[in-house]
Amino acid sequence: MIMLNKVTVQKIKPAHTDERGAIIDILEDVPIKHVGLVAFEKGVVRGNHYHKKQTQYSYLLEGEIRLVTRKASGGKVVTKITKPGDFISIPPGFIHTYIATQKSSIIVLTNFSRSIKKYEDDTFRVRLVK
């Protein structure tokens, strides 16, 4: 597991593999209120925001994403290249930006509802990456 200012990136290994394929346990024992799939075209920048209440988890399915993070209160900007099978955990108070270095897709799981009003109430836009 790699710690980025308390943002973590870890490679998840299959829980079970046999001739039929693999079972990968992405997240356990965490209350989740939203699951989404985000697709990126090469060069797309998404994020550039932080949440005060929400923890966000991302699992990279395909492609490659450059993850850029920083504490919302300031500090060092940290960059990490993520690849398929990487699991990212972003706690509240961390600006996060995803930059697709190639066509990519991620599963996003959050412990906060993504209904339009609630999501926007806990989303604070910051231009960490142009």
Side-chain angles (χ1 to χ4, degrees):
M1 178 181 340
I2 297 170
M3 298 282 296
L4 311 172
N5 311 357
K6 292 198 179 182
V7 171
T8 61
V9 177
Q10 65 181 5
K11 182 68 72 182
I12 298 180
K13 296 179 182 177
H16 178 78
T17 304
D18 62 22
E19 67 281 352
R20 298 170 293 173
I23 297 173
I24 300 169
D25 296 331
I26 296 173
L27 187 64
E28 294 183 89
D29 298 324
V30 175
I32 295 298
K33 294 189 176 182
H34 174 264
V35 177
L37 176 66
V38 181
F40 299 77
E41 293 299 324
K42 182 178 179 178
V44 167
V45 176
R46 291 186 184 266
N48 271 334
H49 64 252
Y50 69 96
H51 307 283
K52 288 185 179 178
K53 299 176 186 174
Q54 175 177 262
T55 298
Q56 182 171 309
Y57 307 96
S58 300
Y59 182 78
L60 189 59
L61 294 171
E62 64 179 347
E64 184 180 273
I65 302 276
R66 183 165 45 112
L67 172 66
V68 182
T69 63
R70 191 190 81 207
K71 288 182 182 179
S73 59
K76 182 180 175 185
V77 173
V78 178
T79 300
K80 168 75 176 142
I81 297 295
T82 61
K83 297 184 181 271
D86 283 347
F87 179 76
I88 304 159
S89 176
I90 304 168
F94 283 86
I95 302 166
H96 48 283
T97 303
Y98 300 96
I99 303 144
T101 60
Q102 57 188 264
K103 189 172 183 173
S104 305
S105 64
I106 61 174
I107 295 174
V108 176
L109 307 100
T110 65
N111 66 343
F112 200 75
S113 174
R114 291 275 308 224
S115 70
I116 297 301
K117 181 168 176 20
K118 287 183 181 181
Y119 178 74
E120 290 302 324
D121 286 350
D122 190 49
T123 301
F124 302 88
R125 311 243 179 240
V126 178
R127 191 168 196 129
L128 186 60
V129 176
K130 295 180 182 182

